[in-house]
Structures are given as structure tokens and as C-alpha cells.
Amino acid sequence: MNDQHETAALLDGTYAAVTAVVGAASSADLRRPTRTEWTVRELLVHLLLDAQRCLVALSTPATGFADTDRVSYWRDHRPGGEGAAAHAEWVRKVTAAYSQDAALVAHWTTTSRAAVHAARVAESDVVMTQGHSMAVADLLDTLVVEAVVHYLDLTAHLTGPPVDPQAVGRVRSVLNGLLGGPMPEQWTDEECVLKGTGRLPLSADDRESLGTWQDRFPLLG
């Protein structure tokens, strides 16, 4: 099991990297495409909602035991799942409501810092999030996965600091869990993230290495 404080530190580092990128970005940069269907600006709103989810969850202690963990949580969030299109459109509308880029970046910066602080000082063992009860360390792990994947999305056309290798390795371990076995060992951790989430296509060699497991890709959206 992952340590809560170690995972909070990984979240802190990845959120800080996001802040460094968007804080230095011009208005034109914030409207650049990402590896997702969203612009940088829109993807930042999606990440902002995740930081808010962290704050709400850490303030909502659960009674009883956890019913999902850092891997099984993602099975409710399959690529193209129910509600994905509606969420994408809602994010665009929320983004459009920010008339000033500086206001959006400031909102992200203060909220992400608050989320990390809450993660570091959380006292509850199990909390509620999106209809599930989760151990705090597992909750934070889901946030690290989102942050790392979307940081790589944000920096597809922008320059930013390298993401912590430990954080990328953490995503790989979650993808291994979703796959039911290890990703191909010849893949770097970043390749695992990009291929496991469908951001890079599988080559013929990849498909040969994966065998029947190739049908499970992408593992995350």
C-alpha cells in the first residue's frame, strides 16, 4: 500500500509542474491544443475540478471500510464511458466563463495548493468520493494519475519541467493493475502512460508483445 505522505508529495510536485507551465504561458499558449480534445485552458479547468474533488473528499469521512482502491476506481471511468461527452462540453462552458486567463490560472494555483495541504494533513483513514469510499492514500493516488497524464497532455506543445519519475512510475503501476499484468518491459514509464491511455498508438511489435491483452487498450481515457 502506498504511503499517504509520499503520495501527497508526488501530487504536490506534479501540481507544481502544472502551475509552472500555465503560469508562464501566454494567452495564445493557453489556447493551444493538447493531447486531449481540449485546449490547455480547458484541460486546466478539468484539473481544477480534480483538485476540488480532493478538497471535498478529504472533508467527507466515510463510515466503514473502503469499497474501491487505486486501481478498481478507474473501472468506473472507462474511455468513452457514459457521461464523457457531457462532461467534455460542460468543461468547455465553464472555461468560457473565465473572461480573464489570469483569473483561471490564479484559481487553479490557489485550489491546487489547498488540495495538497489538505492531503498532507488529512486525518481520516477512509473518505467518500464520487459514490465510493476510499483509503486516503488511494484517493491521492487517483489524483496523481490524473495529474501526471494531463501534465503530459499539457506539455505536448508547451515546454515545462520534467515530471517526477516516481510519479510516472506510479501511473505505470496502476496501468499494470488495470491490465492484469506487467506492461511490456521494453516500454519506458512515459511510453506506458501514453500507450496505456491511447495517446500513442500500439505498433505491430507492441501488439505482438501484448498478445490478447492488446484488446484491453486503452486502459484509461
Side-chain angles (χ1 to χ4, degrees):
M1 180 178 291
N2 296 320
D3 176 80
Q4 172 183 333
H5 298 289
E6 176 187 344
T7 307
L10 294 179
L11 183 64
D12 187 11
T14 311
Y15 275 1
V18 171
T19 302
V21 170
V22 299
S26 67
S27 180
D29 287 337
L30 291 171
R31 286 160 178 77
R32 287 191 179 203
T34 67
R35 284 190 173 96
T36 72
E37 62 190 292
W38 291 316
T39 64
V40 171
R41 199 169 181 261
E42 291 163 345
L43 187 51
L44 186 61
V45 167
H46 177 71
L47 282 168
L48 173 61
L49 295 173
D50 238 21
Q52 291 175 343
R53 176 171 74 90
C54 177
L55 287 168
V56 171
L58 292 175
S59 298
T60 313
T63 57
F65 298 101
D67 63 22
T68 193
D69 61 26
R70 60 193 287 265
V71 174
S72 60
Y73 167 84
W74 294 107
R75 297 199 171 102
D76 287 346
H77 300 276
R78 292 289 300 161
E82 184 179 354
H87 173 71
E89 182 59 26
W90 188 69
V91 165
R92 292 189 186 97
K93 290 178 179 178
V94 172
T95 306
Y98 284 92
S99 59
Q100 296 183 331
D101 294 332
L104 171 57
V105 172
H107 193 186
W108 156 258
T109 302
T110 55
T111 305
S112 61
R113 286 175 180 167
V116 168
H117 174 73
R120 291 187 184 279
V121 301
E123 295 181 355
S124 299
D125 294 324
V126 182
V127 295
M128 297 297 300
T129 184
Q130 296 181 326
H132 288 291
S133 53
M134 297 185 77
V136 168
D138 283 351
L139 167 74
L140 300 183
D141 214 277
T142 68
L143 295 161
V144 169
V145 169
E146 284 268 10
V148 169
V149 171
H150 290 319
Y151 181 74
L152 295 177
D153 291 334
L154 285 172
T155 54
H157 303 290
L158 295 176
T159 301
V163 68
D164 187 334
Q166 283 188 283
V168 186
R170 188 67 64 85
V171 182
R172 182 178 192 146
S173 70
V174 169
L175 293 170
N176 285 342
L178 288 170
L179 183 61
M183 304 282 270
E185 62 180 16
Q186 66 268 27
W187 291 1
T188 66
D189 287 348
E190 187 168 320
E191 282 180 304
C192 283
V193 175
L194 296 176
K195 293 181 179 182
T197 60
R199 284 152 170 83
L200 283 180
L202 299 177
S203 68
D205 288 343
D206 293 337
R207 293 186 181 279
E208 184 176 352
S209 296
L210 289 165
T212 57
W213 279 356
Q214 67 184 276
D215 296 334
R216 302 184 187 182
F217 282 67
L219 301 166
L220 283 179

